[in-house]
Coordinates of all heavy atoms in Angstrom, one line a residue:
L71 N 3.0 22.1 -8.2 CA 2.0 21.1 -8.5 C 1.0 20.9 -7.4 O 1.2 21.2 -6.2 CB 2.7 19.7 -8.8 CG 3.8 19.7 -9.8 CD1 4.5 18.3 -9.8 CD2 3.2 20.0 -11.2
N72 N -0.2 20.4 -7.8 CA -1.2 20.0 -6.9 C -1.1 18.5 -6.7 O -1.5 17.8 -7.6 CB -2.6 20.4 -7.4 CG -3.7 20.0 -6.5 OD1 -3.5 19.4 -5.4 ND2 -4.9 20.2 -6.9
S73 N -0.4 18.0 -5.7 CA 0.0 16.6 -5.6 C -0.7 15.9 -4.5 O -1.1 16.4 -3.5 CB 1.5 16.6 -5.3 OG 2.2 17.1 -6.4
E74 N -0.8 14.5 -4.7 CA -1.3 13.6 -3.8 C -0.3 12.4 -3.8 O 0.4 12.1 -4.8 CB -2.7 13.1 -4.0 CG -3.7 14.2 -3.8 CD -5.2 13.7 -3.8 OE1 -5.4 12.5 -3.9 OE2 -6.1 14.5 -3.6
W75 N -0.3 11.7 -2.6 CA 0.6 10.5 -2.4 C -0.2 9.3 -2.1 O -1.1 9.3 -1.3 CB 1.6 10.8 -1.3 CG 2.8 11.6 -1.6 CD1 4.1 11.2 -1.8 CD2 2.8 13.1 -1.7 NE1 4.9 12.3 -2.0 CE2 4.1 13.4 -2.0 CE3 1.8 14.1 -1.6 CZ2 4.5 14.8 -2.1 CZ3 2.2 15.4 -1.8 CH2 3.5 15.7 -2.1
V76 N 0.3 8.1 -2.6 CA -0.1 6.8 -2.1 C 1.2 6.1 -2.0 O 1.6 5.5 -3.0 CB -1.1 6.1 -3.0 CG1 -1.5 4.7 -2.4 CG2 -2.4 6.9 -3.2
S77 N 1.8 6.1 -0.9 CA 3.1 5.5 -0.7 C 3.3 4.8 0.6 O 2.8 5.4 1.6 CB 4.2 6.5 -0.9 OG 4.0 7.7 -0.1
V78 N 3.9 3.7 0.7 CA 4.0 2.9 1.9 C 5.5 2.3 2.0 O 5.9 1.6 1.1 CB 3.0 1.7 1.9 CG1 3.1 1.0 3.2 CG2 1.6 2.2 1.6
S79 N 6.1 2.6 3.1 CA 7.5 2.1 3.3 C 7.5 0.5 3.3 O 6.6 -0.1 3.8 CB 8.0 2.6 4.6 OG 8.3 3.9 4.6
G80 N 8.5 0.0 2.6 CA 8.7 -1.5 2.6 C 7.9 -2.2 1.6 O 8.1 -3.4 1.3
Y81 N 6.8 -1.6 1.0 CA 5.9 -2.3 0.1 C 6.5 -2.3 -1.3 O 7.3 -1.4 -1.7 CB 4.6 -1.6 0.1 CG 3.6 -2.0 1.2 CD1 4.1 -2.3 2.5 CD2 2.3 -2.2 1.0 CE1 3.3 -2.7 3.5 CE2 1.4 -2.6 2.0 CZ 1.9 -2.8 3.3 OH 1.1 -3.2 4.3
G82 N 6.2 -3.3 -2.0 CA 6.6 -3.4 -3.4 C 5.5 -3.6 -4.4 O 4.3 -3.4 -4.0
M83 N 5.8 -4.0 -5.6 CA 4.8 -4.3 -6.6 C 4.3 -5.7 -6.5 O 3.1 -6.0 -6.6 CB 5.4 -4.0 -8.0 CG 4.4 -4.2 -9.1 SD 3.1 -3.1 -9.1 CE 3.8 -1.6 -9.9
F84 N 5.2 -6.6 -6.2 CA 4.8 -8.0 -6.1 C 5.2 -8.6 -4.8 O 4.5 -9.5 -4.3 CB 5.5 -8.8 -7.2 CG 5.1 -10.3 -7.3 CD1 3.8 -10.6 -7.7 CD2 6.0 -11.3 -7.0 CE1 3.4 -11.9 -7.8 CE2 5.6 -12.6 -7.1 CZ 4.3 -12.9 -7.5
V85 N 6.3 -8.2 -4.1 CA 6.6 -8.6 -2.8 C 7.2 -7.4 -2.0 O 7.6 -6.5 -2.6 CB 7.7 -9.7 -2.8 CG1 7.1 -11.0 -3.4 CG2 9.0 -9.3 -3.5
E86 N 7.1 -7.5 -0.7 CA 7.7 -6.4 0.1 C 9.2 -6.7 0.3 O 9.7 -7.7 -0.3 CB 7.0 -6.3 1.5 CG 7.3 -7.5 2.4 CD 6.9 -7.1 3.9 OE1 6.4 -6.1 4.1 OE2 7.2 -8.0 4.7
Y87 N 9.9 -5.9 1.1 CA 11.3 -6.0 1.2 C 11.8 -7.3 1.8 O 12.9 -7.8 1.5 CB 11.9 -4.8 2.0 CG 11.6 -4.9 3.5 CD1 12.6 -5.3 4.4 CD2 10.3 -4.5 4.0 CE1 12.3 -5.3 5.7 CE2 10.1 -4.6 5.3 CZ 11.1 -5.0 6.2 OH 10.8 -5.0 7.5
T88 N 10.9 -8.0 2.6 CA 11.2 -9.3 3.2 C 10.9 -10.4 2.2 O 11.3 -11.6 2.5 CB 10.5 -9.5 4.5 OG1 9.0 -9.6 4.2 CG2 10.7 -8.4 5.5
G89 N 10.2 -10.1 1.1 CA 9.8 -11.2 0.2 C 8.3 -11.6 0.5 O 7.8 -12.5 -0.2
D90 N 7.7 -11.0 1.4 CA 6.3 -11.3 1.8 C 5.4 -10.8 0.6 O 5.4 -9.6 0.4 CB 5.9 -10.7 3.1 CG 4.5 -11.1 3.6 OD1 3.7 -11.6 2.8 OD2 4.2 -10.9 4.8
P91 N 4.5 -11.6 0.0 CA 3.7 -11.1 -1.1 C 2.4 -10.4 -0.6 O 1.6 -9.9 -1.4 CB 3.3 -12.4 -1.8 CG 3.4 -13.5 -0.7 CD 4.5 -13.1 0.2
E92 N 2.2 -10.4 0.7 CA 1.0 -9.8 1.3 C 1.1 -8.2 1.2 O 0.1 -7.5 1.0 CB 0.7 -10.2 2.7 CG 0.3 -11.7 2.8 CD -1.1 -11.9 2.2 OE1 -2.0 -11.1 2.4 OE2 -1.2 -12.9 1.4
N93 N 2.2 -7.7 1.6 CA 2.4 -6.3 1.7 C 2.9 -5.6 0.4 O 4.1 -5.4 0.3 CB 3.3 -6.0 2.9 CG 2.8 -6.5 4.2 OD1 1.6 -6.5 4.4 ND2 3.7 -6.9 5.1
I94 N 1.9 -5.3 -0.4 CA 2.2 -4.8 -1.7 C 1.3 -3.6 -2.0 O 0.2 -3.5 -1.5 CB 2.1 -5.8 -2.9 CG1 0.8 -6.4 -2.9 CG2 3.2 -6.8 -2.7 CD1 0.5 -7.4 -4.1
L95 N 1.8 -2.6 -2.8 CA 1.0 -1.4 -3.0 C -0.3 -1.7 -3.8 O -1.3 -1.1 -3.5 CB 1.9 -0.4 -3.8 CG 1.6 1.1 -3.6 CD1 0.3 1.5 -4.3 CD2 1.7 1.5 -2.2
P96 N -0.3 -2.5 -4.8 CA -1.5 -2.8 -5.5 C -2.7 -3.3 -4.6 O -3.8 -3.0 -4.9 CB -1.1 -3.8 -6.6 CG 0.3 -3.6 -6.8 CD 0.9 -3.2 -5.5
R97 N -2.3 -3.9 -3.5 CA -3.3 -4.4 -2.6 C -4.1 -3.3 -1.9 O -5.2 -3.4 -1.6 CB -2.7 -5.4 -1.6 CG -3.7 -6.0 -0.6 CD -3.0 -7.1 0.2 NE -3.9 -7.6 1.2 CZ -3.6 -7.7 2.5 NH1 -2.5 -7.3 3.0 NH2 -4.5 -8.3 3.3
V98 N -3.4 -2.2 -1.6 CA -3.9 -1.1 -0.8 C -4.5 0.0 -1.6 O -5.2 0.9 -1.1 CB -2.9 -0.6 0.3 CG1 -2.4 -1.7 1.1 CG2 -1.8 0.2 -0.4
F99 N -4.1 0.0 -2.9 CA -4.3 1.2 -3.7 C -5.8 1.6 -3.9 O -6.2 2.7 -3.9 CB -3.7 1.1 -5.1 CG -3.8 2.3 -5.9 CD1 -2.9 3.3 -5.7 CD2 -4.7 2.4 -6.9 CE1 -3.0 4.5 -6.5 CE2 -4.8 3.6 -7.7 CZ -4.0 4.6 -7.5
A100 N -6.7 0.6 -3.9 CA -8.1 0.8 -4.2 C -8.8 1.4 -3.0 O -10.0 1.9 -3.2 CB -8.8 -0.5 -4.6
Y101 N -8.2 1.4 -1.8 CA -8.9 1.9 -0.6 C -8.4 3.3 -0.3 O -7.3 3.7 -0.5 CB -8.6 1.0 0.5 CG -9.1 -0.4 0.3 CD1 -8.3 -1.4 -0.4 CD2 -10.3 -0.8 0.7 CE1 -8.7 -2.7 -0.6 CE2 -10.8 -2.1 0.4 CZ -10.0 -3.0 -0.2 OH -10.4 -4.3 -0.5
T102 N -9.3 4.1 0.3 CA -9.0 5.4 0.8 C -7.9 5.4 1.8 O -6.9 6.1 1.8 CB -10.2 6.2 1.3 OG1 -11.2 6.2 0.3 CG2 -9.8 7.6 1.8
N103 N -8.0 4.5 2.8 CA -7.0 4.3 3.8 C -7.1 2.8 4.3 O -7.7 2.6 5.3 CB -7.1 5.3 4.9 CG -5.9 5.1 5.9 OD1 -5.2 4.2 6.0 ND2 -5.8 6.2 6.8
F104 N -6.5 1.9 3.6 CA -6.5 0.5 3.9 C -6.1 0.2 5.3 O -6.6 -0.8 5.9 CB -5.7 -0.3 2.9 CG -5.6 -1.7 3.1 CD1 -6.5 -2.6 2.6 CD2 -4.5 -2.3 3.8 CE1 -6.4 -3.9 2.8 CE2 -4.4 -3.6 4.0 CZ -5.4 -4.5 3.5
F105 N -5.2 1.0 5.8 CA -4.6 0.7 7.1 C -5.6 1.0 8.3 O -5.4 0.6 9.4 CB -3.3 1.4 7.3 CG -2.3 1.1 6.2 CD1 -2.1 1.9 5.1 CD2 -1.6 -0.1 6.2 CE1 -1.3 1.6 4.1 CE2 -0.8 -0.4 5.1 CZ -0.6 0.4 4.1
Y106 N -6.6 1.9 8.0 CA -7.5 2.3 9.0 C -8.9 1.6 8.7 O -9.6 1.2 9.7 CB -7.7 3.8 8.9 CG -8.6 4.3 10.1 CD1 -8.0 4.8 11.2 CD2 -9.9 4.4 10.0 CE1 -8.7 5.3 12.3 CE2 -10.7 4.9 11.0 CZ -10.1 5.3 12.1 OH -10.9 5.8 13.2
D107 N -9.2 1.5 7.5 CA -10.6 1.0 7.1 C -10.5 0.1 5.8 O -10.2 0.7 4.8 CB -11.5 2.2 6.9 CG -12.9 1.8 6.5 OD1 -13.1 0.6 6.2 OD2 -13.8 2.6 6.5
K108 N -10.7 -1.2 6.0 CA -10.5 -2.1 4.8 C -11.8 -2.3 4.0 O -12.0 -3.2 3.3 CB -10.0 -3.4 5.3 CG -8.6 -3.3 5.9 CD -8.1 -4.7 6.4 CE -6.6 -4.6 6.8 NZ -6.4 -3.5 7.9

């Protein structure tokens, strides 16, 4: 396959593993690299 990834450890759909609602995949998905350039 010709594959690409958008995956982040600890992140969830609605809350992260700690229950924090800030760190979720839908929040970062629209950006090329949210962690470098918001």
Side-chain angles (χ1 to χ4, degrees):
L71 301 174
N72 178 1
S73 297
E74 293 193 0
W75 281 254
V76 180
S77 52
V78 187
S79 289
Y81 278 37
M83 181 65 80
F84 186 68
V85 294
E86 70 162 4
Y87 73 102
T88 66
D90 187 343
E92 289 294 313
N93 297 330
I94 56 173
L95 206 292
R97 182 174 178 232
V98 307
F99 186 78
Y101 299 87
T102 300
N103 185 344
F104 177 85
F105 305 99
Y106 188 94
D107 179 348
K108 295 178 174 58

